[in-house]
Amino acid sequence: MINDKEKKMIQRYCIYPKIAVVALIFSFVQCALIVPLEMIDDLVFQNKGFQPTGMFTALGFVIIYVVLFCFCALAPKFGMNGKKWKSLIGRLNVKQSETDYSKDVSAALASQAVGRFLKESDNDTAKNIGSAMQVAGAVSTVSTSIDMLSEVGSNAENMAHAYRIPIPDIKKQLIAFAVIPILIVVGTYIPQYIKGKQAMDQRIAASAKQVEIVKKALDPVCVRVHADNPNESRSRSSYTVMGYLRDSGGTDCYVHVQVNNSGTIINISYVEGVDINKSLEENLMQAEKDFATLQKSFENLNVSVSNPEILSYQAIPQQFKDEFLNGTFYKSFRFYDQDAPISLSCSFDTETEDQFDEYTRPKIYFFLGSK
């Protein structure tokens, strides 16, 4: 009644749709998998840029999935329109369904087309709607494709049942087909993760060493020094050392040193509290004296620094001093020295006279960083 060639054709058409569905779904999974793997590489191990081996491996599997999907989806579709299949239907009058999916396909394509059009708009709301429509169109396309494949598979299984042909169980093969490529892609990232961890350990060791040097330099002149421990905050992009020249009070003074995660000093900030019970001249003299005392700690310091001028620059710009002396305790201002060899800024932060109260702490800020 049925020969081996026809039997194998029926069995192929039973399993092809299942393979096509898995290939379709996991082509998207492979694309999505790159994102968390790259995020781990970037955020946890602080490796900048894409990992080419893993990315190209994932894209290679995506190509394989797409090719398999096209073949396994089209082969039974065309085969079921052929004479052999129709002959098999006629022999036993096998029930076959044929749903018209043209409306669903047209709606999905239209949604994506309108979405692309809206994304070209200058209006942010229209752009967001366009992105949502593109996603909806893509989901609808996938859903329609799965429905079509399910119908093809059901037709093939009806034929197999009619002719008493066993349907191959390929669940284990499908699981392997889905899981093994994921494991391979993840495996390609492991050497990069190991390399990233080793590099991060080296950077943390360098940072810890530099932080300790700065801390020891400030200990003799400060009443209190606080320093981050790079070994406890491994994923941070920078670490700080803060030295307090006096105990906290109305006119506290401290220095804030920022060290990046490669162990390099990138900026130093000095903060001086202003006492409104003293004159502007007295406050400025005290600030200059305190800043010089703190800055002296960094002279001849054997540390990595983004710009050596940061450790040796001491003078508060004259323009800032003039504006401060000609101002009041109730007017904030900021000054940038564009001619300095480093990024230098000074500011006086306070409250207006009508908002000034016992909780207000006016301060002078002196910032030194690399340009």
Side-chain angles (χ1 to χ4, degrees):
M1 183 180 245
I2 186 171
N3 57 42
D4 288 340
K5 191 173 181 181
E6 291 171 332
K7 177 182 176 181
K8 290 180 180 179
M9 179 181 68
I10 294 172
Q11 290 178 322
R12 286 199 307 270
Y13 290 174
C14 286
I15 65 174
Y16 279 1
K18 297 176 183 178
I19 296 174
V21 169
V22 173
L24 177 63
I25 293 172
F26 280 88
S27 64
F28 288 99
V29 170
Q30 285 288 353
C31 291
L33 184 64
I34 297 175
V35 177
L37 290 174
E38 288 291 341
M39 287 178 65
I40 293 171
D41 194 39
D42 185 24
L43 299 177
V44 178
F45 299 103
Q46 299 178 9
N47 287 317
K48 303 304 178 183
F50 279 103
Q51 207 278 83
T53 304
M55 185 174 63
F56 291 143
T57 301
L59 292 177
F61 280 119
V62 170
I63 293 172
I64 293 172
Y65 279 137
V66 170
V67 171
L68 280 173
F69 168 75
C70 292
F71 174 78
C72 292
L74 295 176
K77 188 68 176 177
F78 286 113
M80 288 180 176
N81 289 322
K83 293 181 179 179
K84 290 182 180 179
W85 191 262
K86 290 181 179 179
S87 174
L88 291 171
I89 295 173
R91 292 179 204 173
L92 296 180
N93 194 23
V94 182
K95 181 181 178 181
Q96 299 279 275
S97 60
E98 190 172 350
T99 306
D100 184 7
Y101 291 97
S102 59
K103 291 182 180 180
D104 299 300
V105 173
S106 298
L109 295 176
S111 178
Q112 290 184 318
V114 173
R116 285 192 295 269
F117 176 75
L118 289 175
K119 285 191 70 175
E120 299 297 324
S121 173
D122 295 330
N123 185 280
D124 289 338
T125 302
K127 285 183 179 180
N128 292 333
I129 294 174
S131 297
M133 290 189 70
Q134 280 192 299
V135 172
V139 172
S140 179
T141 301
V142 172
S143 177
T144 303
S145 299
I146 292 175
D147 289 341
M148 294 172 66
L149 290 168
S150 297
E151 184 178 67
V152 170
S154 295
N155 287 339
E157 289 179 6
N158 288 339
M159 187 71 75
H161 292 318
Y163 283 94
R164 302 180 183 277
I165 296 173
I167 300 173
D169 185 4
I170 60 168
K171 288 182 180 179
K172 293 182 179 179
Q173 290 86 338
L174 289 177
I175 292 172
F177 179 55
V179 173
I180 290 176
I182 291 177
L183 295 177
I184 292 173
V185 172
V186 172
T188 60
Y189 276 84
I190 291 177
Q192 180 75 5
Y193 291 164
I194 294 173
K195 182 179 177 182
K197 184 181 183 304
Q198 292 172 343
M200 186 170 65
D201 288 343
Q202 292 174 356
R203 290 195 299 267
I204 288 172
S207 297
K209 181 180 179 181
Q210 300 298 317
V211 166
E212 187 61 26
I213 291 173
V214 174
K215 183 176 181 296
K216 287 182 177 179
L218 290 172
D219 275 334
V221 298
C222 294
V223 298
R224 181 162 47 94
V225 179
H226 168 76
D228 291 331
N229 186 347
N231 290 298
E232 294 178 356
S233 307
R234 297 173 65 87
S235 61
R236 291 179 58 171
S237 60
S238 63
Y239 309 97
T240 62
V241 182
M242 296 185 69
Y244 296 84
L245 193 59
R246 294 184 289 274
D247 287 327
S248 297
T251 57
D252 58 323
C253 176
Y254 61 89
V255 61
H256 177 283
V257 182
Q258 188 172 18
V259 180
N260 67 15
N261 59 8
S262 297
T264 300
I265 294 176
I266 53 178
N267 63 63
I268 299 176
S269 300
Y270 299 92
V271 182
E272 176 82 22
V274 172
D275 186 353
I276 63 172
N277 296 313
K278 297 180 180 180
S279 67
L280 291 168
E281 290 81 2
E282 288 176 309
N283 277 287
L284 182 60
M285 288 177 61
Q286 185 67 52
E288 288 188 290
K289 178 184 175 182
D290 290 344
F291 290 169
T293 300
L294 290 169
Q295 185 77 340
K296 190 174 179 62
S297 304
F298 303 127
E299 287 183 359
N300 304 316
L301 197 63
N302 185 24
V303 292
S304 173
V305 59
S306 56
N307 188 329
E309 294 280 351
I310 294 175
L311 300 181
S312 60
Y313 202 96
Q314 294 184 11
I316 296 177
Q318 187 63 42
Q319 295 94 319
F320 174 84
K321 293 192 288 186
D322 292 342
E323 189 167 353
F324 180 79
L325 294 175
N326 292 326
T328 71
F329 288 113
Y330 312 107
K331 183 181 179 181
S332 300
F333 68 93
R334 183 177 296 273
F335 170 77
Y336 296 95
D337 189 349
Q338 304 291 346
D339 298 325
I342 57 177
S343 177
L344 188 154
S345 68
C346 299
S347 67
F348 175 54
D349 289 355
T350 185
E351 297 285 355
T352 58
E353 190 168 4
D354 60 327
Q355 294 181 331
F356 203 99
D357 56 29
E358 67 272 21
Y359 301 107
T360 303
R361 296 290 183 266
K363 288 181 171 61
I364 294 173
Y365 293 88
F366 187 27
F367 174 84
L368 305 171
S370 296
K371 281 189 173 180

